[in-house]
């Protein structure tokens, strides 16, 4: 589907369904990227934001001369570096959308079909880690795969690269700051029962120990299972006299859990920290004015940094003021699409062990080759920091930021025992 006239601009992004990619006519010069983004399931409510971001990035690539023009021409204020459509010879970037919100086996099978048919050159996306782990083996060594959200860490198969943050740097600063600021002594860990939350809980236990607090409760919930488990979770928090809870539930489960705490009254007594809460989830929750709901991510819409503001302006210019907010997941995917274009333009998009080193060089290198690779990216490569934000109504306002390379904030002095349950 082409979007151009729907937004009053010449939006040079083409989004294809998998069946169209497999059986429809194809421009042989086009570069097709398989985009795995949730359109259903627990993360379905934040899929539209990520899809907007991917379309914006693809538009900027195509308006800047396509894949072959990447790194040679700087795009203009709305991504329209040159008027008119991109010529076939310039390798227009096309997106093939796969719903990443379904069962991991179903997503992996559809991706494998596209890769096996030779109709996509690379895979990128944001989705749950169990989906990621199912997709990884069916693409490794065949096409490159760029996974953009926060992830569980650990090794990857050849040709697979993760650009998001892993649990240790995501949580360390936030846990130390909240433990000290709110004098927290007793933490609970509540998460969905799959790969990423388990890694998060391991990192959280270490961070909580360094802050001289303790974990007194850990609970697991199947994906989509918060409703039936809600009474058990609330009773456990009361019984164990918890001061703060790290919530590693995702999507709709995260929303339902916080609604349950609101109905129980615990939302005004507990400090809550999430590594998955973003603006769309907060809106689904109906906002929060307790002063005790926090999120730690590498980006928030409330950031006033030049790059964040510029991305918001570019998004609104193309999609209008009523478009969904670009949350951290969306911004990561925006950068991921530009990264794929930069790699492809340099002939470095290879499905083998060389990919992670090349990606690190492009994202963090200061040499002329690395700088030149981003000349067609209007905002250049991202330079993420971890941010801790507090819910204030329907917004997440940053209260503290932590450079990813910096040591954990000092938490050497134990907080006094000021438990809310004493």
């Amino acid at each position: 589907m082409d979007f151009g006239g729907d937004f009053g601009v010449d939006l040079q992004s083409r989004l294809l369904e998998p069946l169209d990619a497999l059986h429809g006519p194809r421009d042989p010069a086009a570069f097709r990227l398989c985009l795995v983004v949730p359109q259903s399931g627990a993360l379905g409510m934040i899929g539209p934001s990520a899809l907007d971001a991917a379309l914006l990035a693809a538009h900027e690539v195509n308006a800047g001369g396509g894949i072959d023009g990447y790194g040679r021409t700087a795009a203009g204020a709305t991504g329209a570096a040159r008027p008119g459509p991109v010529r076939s010879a310039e390798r227009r970037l096309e997106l093939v959308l796969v719903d990443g919100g379904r069962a991991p086996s179903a997503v992996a099978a559809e991706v494998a079909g596209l890769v096996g048919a030779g109709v996509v050159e690379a895979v990128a996306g944001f989705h749950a880690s169990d989906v990621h782990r199912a997709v990884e083996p069916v693409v490794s060594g065949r096409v490159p795969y760029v996974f953009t959200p926060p992830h569980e860490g650990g090794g990857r198969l050849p040709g697979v690269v993760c650009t998001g943050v892993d649990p240790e740097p995501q949580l360390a600063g936030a846990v130390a700051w909240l433990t000290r600021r709110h004098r927290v002594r007793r933490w609970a860990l509540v998460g969905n029962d799959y790969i990423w939350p388990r890694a998060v809980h391991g990192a959280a236990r270490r961070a909580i120990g360094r802050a001289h607090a303790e974990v007194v409760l850990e609970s697991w919930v199947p994906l989509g299972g918060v409703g039936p488990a809600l009474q058990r979770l609330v009773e456990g928090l009361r019984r164990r006299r918890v001061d703060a809870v790290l919530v590693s539930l995702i999507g709709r489960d995260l929303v339902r859990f916080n609604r349950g705490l609101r109905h129980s009254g615990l939302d005004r007594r507990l400090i809550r920290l999430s590594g998955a809460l973003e603006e769309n989830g907060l809106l689904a929750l109906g906002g929060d004015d307790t002063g005790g709901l926090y999120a730690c991510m590498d980006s928030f819409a409330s950031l006033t940094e030049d790059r964040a503001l510029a991305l918001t302006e570019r998004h609104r210019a193309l999609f209008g003021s009523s478009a969904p907010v670009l949350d951290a997941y969306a911004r990561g995917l925006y950068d991921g699409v530009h990264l794929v274009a930069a790699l492809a333009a340099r002939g470095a998009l290879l499905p083998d062990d060389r990919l992670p080193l090349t990606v690190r060089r492009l994202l963090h290198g200061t040499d002329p080759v690395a700088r030149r690779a981003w000349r067609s990216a209007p905002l250049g490569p991202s330079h993420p920091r971890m941010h801790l934000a507090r819910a204030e109504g329907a917004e997440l306002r940053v209260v503290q930021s932590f450079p990813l390379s910096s040591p954990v904030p000092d938490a050497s002095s134990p907080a006094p025992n000021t438990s809310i349950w004493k």
Side-chain angles (χ1 to χ4, degrees):
M1 59 190 79
D2 284 295
F3 292 86
D6 295 343
F7 298 97
V9 295
D10 181 17
L11 184 58
Q12 297 180 31
S13 298
R14 191 175 185 219
L15 185 68
L16 299 171
E17 299 289 343
L19 283 177
D20 293 332
L22 286 167
H23 304 295
R26 179 179 183 183
D27 176 356
F31 181 98
R32 281 185 176 172
L33 172 63
C34 178
L35 191 70
V36 186
V37 173
Q39 303 296 294
S40 61
L43 289 171
M45 67 181 184
I46 54 181
S49 177
L51 188 55
D52 263 19
L55 287 166
L56 172 60
H59 164 80
E60 292 173 344
V61 171
N62 290 333
I67 295 292
D68 289 343
Y70 207 90
R72 294 201 303 263
T73 308
T78 62
R82 64 175 78 183
V86 176
R87 298 188 298 271
S88 295
E90 295 168 324
R91 298 179 70 199
R92 177 188 179 97
L93 174 59
E94 297 180 345
L95 305 176
V96 180
L97 178 63
V98 169
D99 179 6
R102 297 167 296 160
S105 58
V107 179
E110 188 160 48
V111 172
L114 292 166
V115 172
V119 298
V120 295
E121 280 73 44
V123 177
F126 109 81
H127 32 274
S129 286
D130 56 347
V131 173
H132 166 64
R133 290 296 188 175
V135 170
E136 187 172 9
V138 305
V139 301
S140 176
R142 304 171 75 187
V143 298
Y145 174 23
V146 177
F147 183 58
T148 63
H151 58 87
E152 68 278 8
R156 290 302 187 275
L157 295 177
V160 180
V161 65
C162 297
T163 59
V165 67
D166 62 65
E168 293 283 354
Q170 183 178 15
L171 292 175
V175 167
W177 190 89
L178 288 172
T179 300
R180 183 174 62 251
R181 178 67 175 265
H182 292 281
R183 299 182 176 182
V184 170
R185 300 297 300 138
R186 301 169 65 84
W187 281 86
L189 311 177
V190 177
N192 286 121
D193 192 3
Y194 76 102
I195 303 167
W196 178 73
R198 289 194 173 275
V200 167
H201 286 197
R205 283 183 176 277
R206 292 186 288 275
I208 290 166
R210 288 192 298 267
H212 302 283
E214 62 177 329
V215 175
V216 298
L217 176 68
E218 184 171 23
S219 295
W220 299 104
V221 182
L223 283 166
V226 163
L230 193 54
Q231 183 176 354
R232 168 178 65 84
L233 295 173
V234 170
E235 288 177 353
L237 295 172
R238 291 186 188 278
R239 185 173 60 253
R240 300 308 299 269
R241 298 180 299 142
V242 168
D243 302 320
V245 54
L246 173 73
V247 188
S248 52
L249 303 165
I250 63 170
R252 293 187 176 90
D253 280 345
L254 176 58
V255 172
R256 291 189 182 108
F257 177 73
N258 279 293
R259 284 177 178 168
L261 292 186
R262 178 179 294 168
H263 290 309
S264 72
L266 285 182
D267 64 327
R268 295 190 175 275
R269 303 182 68 182
L270 292 175
I271 299 301
R272 291 158 288 155
L273 172 64
S274 171
L277 180 66
E278 39 67 60
E279 289 82 1
N280 293 292
L282 183 60
L283 288 172
L285 173 61
D288 187 279
D289 62 357
T290 64
L293 178 59
Y294 292 86
C296 54
M297 301 284 271
D298 62 5
S299 179
F300 290 101
S302 64
L303 284 173
T304 58
E305 299 169 351
D306 290 346
R307 191 178 191 274
L309 294 174
L311 180 56
T312 299
E313 290 173 2
R314 300 178 74 83
H315 179 232
R316 289 178 178 171
L318 285 173
F319 293 94
S321 58
S322 61
V325 63
L326 292 189
D327 59 19
Y329 297 117
R331 290 166 187 245
L333 188 57
Y334 169 88
D335 291 327
V337 173
H338 271 293
L339 174 63
V340 168
L343 290 165
R346 307 198 66 78
L349 194 62
L350 303 172
D352 57 31
D353 288 328
R354 290 172 287 180
L355 185 63
L357 181 60
T358 306
V359 167
R360 284 196 295 271
R361 183 183 180 193
L362 284 186
L363 290 179
H364 307 296
T366 58
D367 57 275
V369 172
R371 292 197 302 270
R372 189 163 56 247
W374 297 103
R375 285 180 57 190
S376 290
L379 305 180
S382 64
H383 299 286
R385 306 174 72 204
M386 286 315 303
H387 304 284
L388 178 65
R390 180 174 56 229
E392 297 181 2
E395 296 185 348
L396 287 164
R397 294 288 180 184
V398 173
V399 296
Q400 191 74 20
S401 297
F402 310 100
L404 290 178
S405 58
S406 69
V408 176
D410 179 40
S412 56
S413 300
N417 187 358
T418 55
S419 170
I420 61 173
W421 302 99
K422 66 179 183 179

